[in-house]
Amino acid sequence: MLNTVYQLVRPRQFEVVFKDITMDDKHVIVHPTHLSICNADQRYYQGLRAEAVLKKKLPMALIHEGIGRVIYDPTGHFEQGTLVVMIPNTPVEQDEIIAENYLRSSKFRASGFDGFMQEYVSMEPDRLVILPEDINLSVAAFTEIVSVSYHAIQRFLRFSHERRNVIGVWGDGNLGYITSLLLKKLLPNTKVCVFGVNEYKLNDFSFVDDTYLVTDIPEDLHLDHAFECVGGAAASKAINQIIDYINPEGTISIMGVSEDLAPINTRMVLEKGLRIFGSSRSGRADFQGLINLYKEHPEVVNHLEKIVGAEIKVRSIADMTKAFESDIHKIMGKTVMIWDN
Ligand SMILES: NC(=O)C1=CN([C@@H]2O[C@H](COP(=O)(O)OP(=O)(O)OC[C@H]3O[C@@H](n4cnc5c(N)ncnc54)[C@H](OP(=O)(O)O)[C@@H]3O)[C@@H](O)[C@H]2O)C=CC1
Ligand SMILES: O=C(CO)[C@H](O)[C@H](O)COP(=O)(O)O
Ligand SMILES: [Zn+2]
C-alpha cells in the first residue's frame, strides 16, 4: 500500500514522500487523527540540534505524541475504528533488567526513524494501547509526554527514601505542570511545591500546595526530593538551585533535555549524599498505567485540558508549518494538530 509521509528535509522545510507499507499479518494500520508537538520536534524543526545530528537524522517525519484509529488489523487485537494511542518507542529485544526505553538497540519515532506525520502508520499491536472512547481527544494526543512523567515518578518511588513530606518541581511549563499534577495524584499526602520564572504560568498550577518564583524562595524552605522539568540552557541553574534547597540524602529526578553540558555543584551533591537520576521516554507499561489512572481519576484529564493550547486543523504542508511556527510563539500549553491527511 502506498503511504504519504510528511518529512522534515531541513530546518523549517517539510516535503511529501511516498513510501510503500508492506501489508503482512503482523502489523496494524492506524490512521493518525490528533498529533501533539514536543520540544524535541521543535529542536529538529528549528535546526537547534548539532549539524552532525541533523545530517544523520533528516529527512524524517516528526512527532512522537499521537493518537489514531485502527484501519486494518490482521492480528485480530483491535476492531476496525478502535481509538488507540501510539507508542513511539520501538524495542527489538527484551531485557529482564533494562527497561525498553533504555535499551540502546530500541528505536524511537521522530528521533531514529519516521514519526507520526504520515497518512497511515504501520505498527506491531503491542505498540498500541486502547483509549477510552469518551476521552478528550486533544488531551489524549499528548498521552506520551504524560507517560514520561508517570515513568519518572515510578522510578522515583523505587530510588528515593520514604520521607516524602515535601517535593519540589522546577519548571513552570508543560512538563512541570504534568509532573506536579501526577505527583499530587500518586502521593496525595505529599506537599508539592512548584518553582518557576513566570508568575502568570504558576497561577495555573491550582492543584499544588505552593508556587514560588525562583528569585523569591524563602531561605528556610527545605525539600525532601525534587524534579527538574526545565531543560535547555536554564537546566544547570535549576539543578544547582535544587541542590541548594534539598535536604541531605534527597533524590533529584532530571527530566529536561539540554543540548550543552550542564555544570553542577558536585561538591554539595557529595556533602549532602544526594541521588541524581535521569529519565527519558517511556514504555508500554507506563502508557497502560497512565491510562488506568485516567480511568480511575478522570479529574486528572480535566486538569490536563487546561494545557491544551492551539488546536490546528492540518491538511497541507502550509498548515504543518503554521502549526510549528505557532507552537514556537505560544505562551503556554501543548499545540495539537487535528490531522486531516
Ligand atoms: N525526559 C523526557 O523524556 C522528556 C523531556 N522533555 C524535556 O523537558 C523540558 C521541558 O519541557 P516542556 O515543559 O515541554 O517545556 P517548556 O518550555 O514548556 O517548560 C520549561 C519551563 O521552565 C521555565 N524555566 C526557565 N528557567 C527556569 C528556572 N531556572 N527554573 C524554573 N523554571 C524555569 C520556562 O520558562 P520560560 O519559557 O519563560 O523560559 C518554561 O516555562 C524540555 O527540555 C523538553 O525537551 C520533554 C518531554 C519528555
Ligand atoms: O521528548 C522526548 C520523549 O518524549 C525525549 O526528550 C526525546 O525523545 C529525546 O530524543 P531526541 O534525542 O531526538 O531529542
Ligand atoms: Zn517528547
Side-chain angles (χ1 to χ4, degrees):
M1 182 175 83
L2 208 56
N3 188 24
T4 313
V5 182
Y6 301 89
Q7 289 188 323
L8 185 77
V9 289
R10 61 185 65 85
R12 288 192 146 86
Q13 193 177 338
F14 293 110
E15 277 181 19
V16 176
V17 288
F18 299 99
K19 291 194 181 180
D20 197 38
I21 291 183
T22 314
M23 306 292 279
D24 56 25
D25 58 3
K26 291 193 176 61
H27 289 85
V28 182
I29 307 296
V30 176
H31 179 59
T33 60
H34 295 70
L35 304 179
S36 161
I37 300 176
C38 174
N39 274 8
D41 299 307
Q42 280 294 357
R43 290 191 287 269
Y44 292 112
Y45 178 76
Q46 295 176 49
L48 301 175
R49 300 294 307 268
E51 195 58 43
V53 174
L54 293 173
K55 202 169 166 199
K56 188 170 158 212
K57 301 207 183 197
L58 303 188
M60 172 177 78
L62 297 183
I63 301 292
H64 55 265
E65 302 176 6
I67 60 167
R69 290 201 181 268
V70 171
I71 296 295
Y72 173 68
D73 178 16
T75 74
H77 287 80
F78 307 98
E79 303 252 320
Q80 193 178 343
T82 304
L83 183 66
V84 288
V85 58
M86 299 177 280
I87 303 176
N89 190 60
T90 311
V92 293
E93 60 174 328
Q94 278 191 345
D95 190 286
E96 58 190 24
I97 304 284
I98 315 294
E100 60 162 85
N101 45 317
Y102 298 112
L103 289 170
R104 302 303 287 169
S105 56
S106 291
K107 293 200 296 172
F108 193 82
R109 298 245 179 206
S111 182
F113 71 125
D114 282 330
F116 299 139
M117 289 178 75
Q118 311 188 32
E119 184 184 9
Y120 298 109
V121 184
S122 167
M123 303 183 88
E124 291 195 16
D126 78 326
R127 296 298 95 191
L128 301 168
V129 180
I130 297 178
L131 286 163
E133 240 341 286
D134 60 352
I135 193 166
N136 177 306
L137 296 177
S138 290
V139 170
F142 57 84
T143 301
E144 191 271 345
I145 187 174
V146 189
S147 77
V148 170
S149 279
Y150 182 91
H151 169 76
I153 295 172
Q154 299 307 314
R155 302 183 83 217
F156 165 76
L157 295 175
R158 270 164 54 203
F159 302 155
S160 60
H161 67 65
E162 285 178 10
R163 186 185 297 152
R164 300 181 185 123
N165 297 334
V166 187
I167 296 181
V169 175
W170 259 251
D172 51 20
N174 295 321
L175 194 64
Y177 185 96
I178 293 164
T179 303
S180 52
L181 174 63
L182 293 194
L183 279 170
K184 223 34 236 177
K185 202 42 66 181
L186 294 167
L187 295 169
N189 299 323
T190 296
K191 184 173 172 184
V192 174
C193 304
V194 177
F195 300 81
V197 291
N198 307 279
E199 202 156 359
Y200 69 94
K201 290 190 190 179
L202 289 171
N203 288 340
D204 285 344
F205 289 66
S206 55
F207 43 82
V208 302
D209 297 280
D210 276 316
T211 60
Y212 298 94
L213 286 170
V214 295
T215 47
D216 206 9
I217 307 178
E219 292 245 334
D220 59 352
L221 186 142
H222 298 290
L223 311 160
D224 295 311
H225 309 286
F227 285 70
E228 177 272 328
C229 302
V230 175
S236 166
K237 210 171 157 190
I239 295 166
N240 285 317
Q241 198 165 43
I242 292 172
I243 293 169
D244 288 344
Y245 282 94
I246 198 167
N247 285 329
E249 299 232 34
T251 295
I252 304 175
S253 160
I254 297 184
M255 296 173 77
V257 176
S258 304
E259 286 310 304
D260 299 313
L261 301 182
I264 60 167
N265 183 352
T266 54
R267 167 174 284 276
M268 216 27 99
V269 171
L270 272 55
E271 280 191 24
K272 287 190 172 180
L274 303 178
R275 300 175 212 200
I276 301 181
F277 75 98
S279 298
S280 183
R281 306 173 177 172
S282 59
R284 182 178 172 83
D286 305 303
F287 278 79
Q288 276 177 324
L290 175 66
I291 290 162
N292 289 340
L293 186 79
Y294 283 174
K295 287 182 188 157
E296 282 161 29
H297 297 281
E299 69 279 9
V300 172
V301 179
N302 298 341
H303 281 300
L304 291 173
E305 284 174 15
K306 290 223 175 78
I307 56 161
V308 174
E311 295 168 286
I312 299 173
K313 196 166 181 128
V314 172
R315 280 198 173 137
S316 62
I317 292 224
D319 294 338
M320 293 167 204
T321 305
K322 188 175 124 194
F324 274 78
E325 291 294 329
S326 129
D327 184 68
I328 294 172
H329 302 295
K330 73 186 175 196
I331 293 169
M332 173 80 186
K334 297 287 294 176
T335 302
V336 177
M337 294 188 277
I338 318 291
W339 194 245
D340 194 5
N341 287 284

